[in-house]
Amino acid sequence: MKAFISCKVLDFPGGKVVFSPEMRFLSESPSVYSQCYRVLDDNGQLISHSNFVPVSEEVAVKMYSNMVTLQTLDTIFYEAQRQGRISFYVTSIGEEAINIASAAALTSDDIVFPQYREPGVLLWRGFTLQEFANQCFGNKADYGKGRQMPIHYGSNKLNYFTVASTIATQIPHAVGAAYSLKMDKKDACAVTYFGDGGTSEGDFHAAMNFAAVTESPVIFICRNNGWAISTPTSDQFRSDGIAVRGQAYGVRSIRVDGNDALAMYSAVHSARHMAVNEHRPILIEAVTYRVGHHSTSDDSTKYRPANEIEWWRMARDPVTRFRKWIEINGWWGSEAESQLRSSIRSQIAERAEKPPVNDLFTDVYDNIPSNLREQEKLLKETINRHPKDYPADVPI
């Protein structure tokens, strides 16, 4: 009898194995779905017995102002693309709370590895509206010198890695950076953002396992907005969302209402504390909805009903919900709202000098090789022969 009892639990590399004479398969789906943490109801009222991190009036007002600014920024650049003044754009409509609230809960030393729907994080850190315009319009002041597609922002000064369109490649990079921060004993973490579609990539799974094994201080923030371009989550996976995947890899996880700015702030604030002080990865699944099209190259009404989009826009708007809460607290009013919205557009000046043609050939080699010199010469000769076929505002 003693021998049987001693063999019920086996010490095994990586954990204990509990033996049982009963043959039982793990269910393919849970009987009870994962709860979704929220603090504010749809009318901006605090839910009874809510557990959340307090936010000061100053921080709350800045959060709301940044959310409105992000909305306005999206409107300006979306219209500019439709008018043919820029080639491409991606909006964050419906996901403003994820952007701004998460950024507010981090510190400037935390390193951000974005996807392409997180300009609000840069906005919070001090990236100006003109800097956004410089990148989208490819102006001379653009830090990428006009070489990148619009919305591929980046800032060394603000610890925000440059956006890459390739899905999920930033996730393993974030883990590597987090491990480096841990080795250097820095009081900081790495944060990476991605959509539900990104979790269908191998990079996500490799990064989760890597982070768990190395105990790296990294926060994974998944924007589960229901759609990977035109592919719904029902066609991507059968698991109970994203958060449950963390447990499989040994990563502490939480599902949050991504349209509740107060819940997002609280979750990220707590996640950062655990990541930095306990040296552990944290996975946050932010449940939201992509109200806008995937990009200006997409028409989402071709694969989802317009009334569904409109319901999320009106009934579940994160900006309106947060405004109601700060109004209830007496921190905001209609006069402040009017002043804010009228001041934003004046901060952007579209027309600016373009980068010179020779910038196409610099910043790769220390000494430019002869083949690139030849290409530069041929390009300039071609522009001079056919000036009407090239933009007149690009210096040769």
Side-chain angles (χ1 to χ4, degrees):
M1 185 66 178
K2 288 184 178 180
F4 176 73
I5 293 174
S6 66
C7 290
K8 290 179 70 175
V9 179
L10 173 68
D11 283 325
F12 191 77
K16 294 184 181 296
V17 176
V18 179
F19 292 106
S20 170
E22 178 185 358
M23 182 173 66
R24 184 174 61 190
F25 291 86
L26 294 176
S27 174
E28 71 282 0
S29 60
S31 56
V32 179
Y33 288 98
S34 302
Q35 65 178 15
C36 187
Y37 170 62
R38 74 186 314 203
V39 176
L40 300 177
D41 64 19
D42 290 339
N43 294 313
Q45 299 278 354
L46 277 175
I47 298 171
S48 299
H49 310 298
S50 296
N51 177 21
F52 65 97
V53 177
V55 178
S56 68
E57 176 180 351
E58 180 184 5
V59 171
V61 169
K62 182 182 176 182
M63 285 170 62
Y64 178 71
S65 298
N66 274 218
M67 290 165 75
V68 172
T69 302
L70 182 57
Q71 275 190 335
T72 307
L73 195 72
D74 277 344
T75 300
I76 292 171
F77 290 137
Y78 185 85
E79 291 174 350
Q81 193 282 332
R82 288 301 189 237
Q83 294 164 5
R85 290 185 287 153
I86 60 176
S87 61
F88 179 80
Y89 193 70
V90 170
T91 67
S92 303
I93 303 170
E95 302 180 33
E96 295 89 352
I98 297 174
N99 272 244
I100 302 302
S102 65
L106 301 172
T107 73
S108 58
D109 292 328
D110 298 326
I111 304 173
V112 177
F113 291 80
Q115 190 178 18
Y116 43 62
R117 218 178 292 276
E118 294 83 28
V121 179
L122 258 184
L123 181 66
W124 179 269
R125 292 191 168 199
F127 210 67
T128 67
L129 301 192
Q130 186 57 50
E131 285 177 303
F132 283 111
N134 289 338
Q135 199 286 321
C136 286
F137 286 98
N139 293 335
K140 187 177 182 179
D142 170 33
Y143 302 123
K145 299 184 178 180
R147 301 185 184 114
Q148 283 272 22
M149 288 174 62
I151 67 90
H152 287 57
Y153 314 111
S155 172
N156 290 336
K157 181 178 70 173
L158 300 177
N159 279 331
Y160 189 97
F161 270 67
T162 301
V163 171
S165 286
T166 43
I167 300 299
T169 55
Q170 76 279 9
I171 308 178
H173 299 166
V175 180
Y179 188 49
S180 175
L181 291 171
K182 175 185 174 181
M183 293 177 68
D184 292 339
K185 295 180 171 55
K186 299 290 188 181
D187 184 25
C189 65
V191 185
T192 183
Y193 297 81
F194 48 93
D196 47 272
T199 69
S200 297
E201 295 284 344
D203 300 76
F204 166 77
H205 299 277
M208 290 286 288
N209 192 57
F210 183 26
V213 172
T214 58
E215 298 179 333
S216 297
V218 56
I219 305 174
F220 301 98
I221 300 180
C222 175
R223 297 174 291 92
N224 184 355
N225 62 24
W227 296 90
I229 308 183
S230 60
T231 304
T233 53
S234 58
D235 288 346
Q236 291 185 66
F237 49 78
R238 288 291 183 268
S239 61
D240 176 23
I242 310 299
V244 294
R245 302 186 189 186
Q247 189 174 28
Y249 286 108
V251 174
R252 191 172 294 173
S253 310
I254 186 172
R255 175 182 280 178
V256 183
D257 182 350
N259 287 28
D260 180 349
L262 208 51
M264 277 300 302
Y265 176 86
S266 299
V268 176
H269 187 279
S270 300
R272 185 191 182 278
H273 178 82
M274 290 184 284
V276 173
N277 292 285
E278 300 176 23
H279 292 132
R280 67 167 65 248
I282 305 291
L283 170 62
I284 297 175
E285 176 188 1
V287 180
T288 183
Y289 188 84
R290 194 195 74 217
V291 173
H293 304 299
H294 173 74
S295 71
T296 49
S297 301
D298 174 48
D299 179 3
S300 62
T301 60
K302 299 296 183 183
Y303 52 82
R304 56 183 186 170
N307 61 345
E308 175 183 291
I309 301 171
E310 190 61 21
W311 182 82
W312 279 89
R313 184 192 304 275
M314 300 303 295
R316 297 274 295 153
D317 177 45
V319 183
T320 301
R321 191 197 301 195
F322 195 63
R323 176 184 174 177
K324 289 177 180 178
W325 182 68
I326 59 175
E327 285 180 334
I328 290 170
N329 288 321
W331 298 342
W332 196 255
S334 57
E335 184 177 347
E337 181 78 15
S338 178
Q339 290 177 350
L340 172 64
R341 292 187 179 273
S342 63
S343 68
I344 295 172
R345 286 181 176 266
S346 63
Q347 300 177 44
I348 300 177
E350 173 192 332
R351 295 197 65 81
E353 187 178 353
K354 299 296 183 183
V357 166
N358 63 288
D359 275 358
L360 286 171
F361 304 91
T362 58
D363 299 329
V364 176
Y365 297 97
D366 183 27
N367 295 305
I368 300 177
S370 58
N371 64 312
L372 287 185
R373 290 290 188 194
E374 180 66 18
Q375 288 181 31
E376 180 182 359
K377 177 185 174 184
L378 291 173
L379 175 59
K380 290 181 178 180
E381 290 175 352
T382 302
I383 293 173
N384 287 325
R385 283 200 307 270
H386 309 282
K388 293 183 179 180
D389 295 332
Y390 293 86
D393 58 348
V394 177
I396 300 177

